[in-house]
Amino acid sequence: MPHDTLSPTEAPPPISFWQAFAFWLKLGFVSFGGPAGQIAIMHTELVERRHWISEKRFLHALNYCMLLPGPEAQQLATYIGWLMHRTWGGVVAGALFVLPSLFILVGLSWVYIAFGDVGWVAGMFYGIKPAVTAIVLQAAHRIGSRSLKNKALWGIAAASFVAIFALQVPFPLIVLGAALLGYAGGRWAPALFNSTGGHGAAAKHFGAALIDDHTPTPAHARFHWGRLATVVLVGAVLWALPMGALTWGLGWSHTFTQMGWFFTKAALLTFGGAYAVLPYVYQGAVGHYGWLTPTQMIDGLALGETTPGPLIMVVAFVAFVGGYAKAVLGPDQLFLAGAIAAALVTWFTFLPSFIFILAGGPLVESTHNDVKFTAPLTGITAAVVGVIVNLTLFFGYHVLWPQGFAGAFDVVAALIALGAAIALFRYQRKVVHVIATCALLGLLLSFIR
């Protein structure tokens, strides 16, 4: 790999835009393992091997991305690309992190919805679904162990679980309530809501880097009010033009228009990662709009776990199935309807992330250690833990009692879920390995039965 032989004091030569383009394209095809795995891949490649950015600057960018709604790994790629090669560098890095996953998911979603009743496909999903339940449980544990540092935050997590599980409170209201509690806590008990970034360890040094600890901030990354206004204005136009065209051409109640509006809102609520917003997506896509069934929602998450890119790309599956099943463009254009729906929601889901990075990047230094800024987000992260625990119960119910509590308990599915949990918690196996093993097990069981 490039620069593996650099001496500790030798910085790499300047990286051209097209060299970076080739790396971001490769990353889009190998970014398995959820945000933790994707961040680890970027750290290994960009900090340790290629020396494009120092450990300290990498963590500085990551801590900012962790505070934003949206997929932090994709935002981190956008941030580093922007820091290296201006606006187009950030756009390319962020887009290439997503596009391979979009194309792969469109293909897999079509296979699923068109041929899902084929025995071997059903068998694979029978093995994957219990694994997904264990993966969601691991996500709750991972986020909780990092964020629930005191009794106040535990209380917020418990309250959010009760709110969504027992009281059916909409997810946006839970986020708002947690943010208000965090804001009040930041003012009256800042020690309880002081976030240190969650990635804790002191920065290591892997040798001189192209963007090193003391490398001056490039001119394009310095804050200017005019530039901030320009980014916000362009972002608003890029949202308003397609939304206006959909509303004008198809009407506000059309499926495509409603998908664009719904997933715009979802994009602004993804504090804590994709698992946190999935209950909101479920409430809307399954409960309100009826774009897909609860079983299809679980299957979509399973597909999202097996493909590269951000897990929030499950929205592409949701949209494809909705567009296809609703025959939005007529019975002869089912695939086209699904593909257009998937592309639309990908645009509306990820556009805010680009705006957050390109507009907020220059402000990072002055805000990311300010407790008034971080305390509301600390409260939201605590609430996310309770929401994900509810999601685990939701998945577990549909997997272990496929016909409802009145039906039989699926012992085989329970054993697969237990084995997946042991592999994840005890042996720290990678998510993609667990998914692949459980899929193979489900396939074998389909031949035996």
Side-chain angles (χ1 to χ4, degrees), residues 11-297:
I15 305 299
S16 72
F17 176 87
W18 292 109
Q19 285 176 305
F21 182 99
F23 170 77
W24 299 122
L25 179 61
K26 171 190 172 184
L27 181 66
F29 283 99
V30 301
S31 56
F32 292 94
Q38 293 154 2
I39 291 166
I41 291 172
M42 281 191 281
H43 185 276
T44 300
E45 289 291 333
L46 300 181
V47 177
E48 299 178 34
R49 301 182 68 179
R50 298 170 184 258
H51 298 183
W52 286 6
I53 187 169
S54 70
E55 169 89 350
K56 184 177 179 180
R57 298 289 283 268
F58 181 92
L59 293 178
H60 182 68
L62 175 58
N63 285 338
Y64 172 59
C65 296
M66 290 292 293
L67 296 175
L68 297 173
E72 61 265 32
Q74 185 264 349
Q75 291 168 339
L76 178 62
T78 304
Y79 190 106
I80 296 174
W82 161 75
L83 201 57
M84 293 182 65
H85 294 112
R86 308 174 67 91
T87 299
W88 277 112
V91 170
V92 165
L96 291 179
F97 200 90
V98 171
L99 288 178
S101 177
L102 172 62
F103 292 127
I104 292 170
L105 269 175
V106 165
L108 291 177
S109 300
W110 175 73
V111 170
Y112 169 81
I113 196 69
F115 306 104
D117 57 349
V118 176
W120 67 269
V121 175
M124 289 181 63
F125 276 96
Y126 178 80
I128 290 173
K129 289 177 187 178
V132 170
T133 303
I135 290 166
V136 177
L137 179 62
Q138 186 200 34
H141 177 266
R142 185 176 64 244
I143 296 174
S145 62
R146 187 185 72 223
S147 59
L148 303 183
K149 302 173 183 176
N150 53 62
K151 292 181 179 179
L153 299 179
W154 273 99
I156 292 176
S160 72
F161 172 77
V162 172
I164 197 167
F165 178 79
L167 305 178
Q168 302 295 309
V169 176
F171 181 66
L173 292 182
I174 294 175
V175 170
L176 177 61
L180 292 175
L181 286 173
Y183 175 77
R187 292 197 62 183
W188 303 107
L192 296 178
F193 290 84
N194 188 22
S195 172
T196 57
H199 292 272
K204 299 178 182 178
H205 199 274
F206 295 93
L210 189 65
I211 302 176
D212 217 333
D213 292 355
H214 304 293
T215 301
T217 301
H220 70 271
R222 296 171 188 158
F223 177 75
H224 297 286
W225 282 108
R227 183 183 181 280
L228 174 62
T230 300
V231 170
V232 173
L233 177 62
V234 171
V237 170
L238 291 175
W239 179 86
L241 284 179
M243 181 58 69
L246 290 171
T247 305
W248 179 267
L250 301 175
W252 178 250
S253 61
H254 192 272
T255 298
F256 285 163
T257 310
Q258 287 299 300
M259 282 182 173
W261 176 240
F262 175 74
F263 285 105
T264 295
K265 294 184 289 183
L268 300 175
L269 293 168
T270 51
F271 292 97
Y275 287 114
V277 81
L278 284 175
Y280 177 68
V281 174
Y282 169 77
Q283 285 179 338
V286 178
H288 180 70
Y289 293 104
W291 292 328
L292 72 174
T293 67
T295 298
Q296 289 173 334
M297 185 72 188

Side-chain angles (χ1 to χ4, degrees), residues 366-417:
S366 61
T367 58
H368 87 283
N369 279 327
D370 187 345
V371 71
K372 295 191 297 295
F373 179 75
T374 61
L377 299 173
T378 301
I380 291 171
T381 303
V384 158
V385 178
V387 170
I388 298 176
V389 171
N390 171 74
L391 189 66
T392 305
L393 295 179
F394 164 76
F395 283 157
Y397 165 73
H398 285 282
V399 168
L400 302 181
W401 285 274
Q403 281 81 43
F405 283 126
F409 178 77
D410 194 330
V411 177
V412 175
L415 291 174
I416 295 175

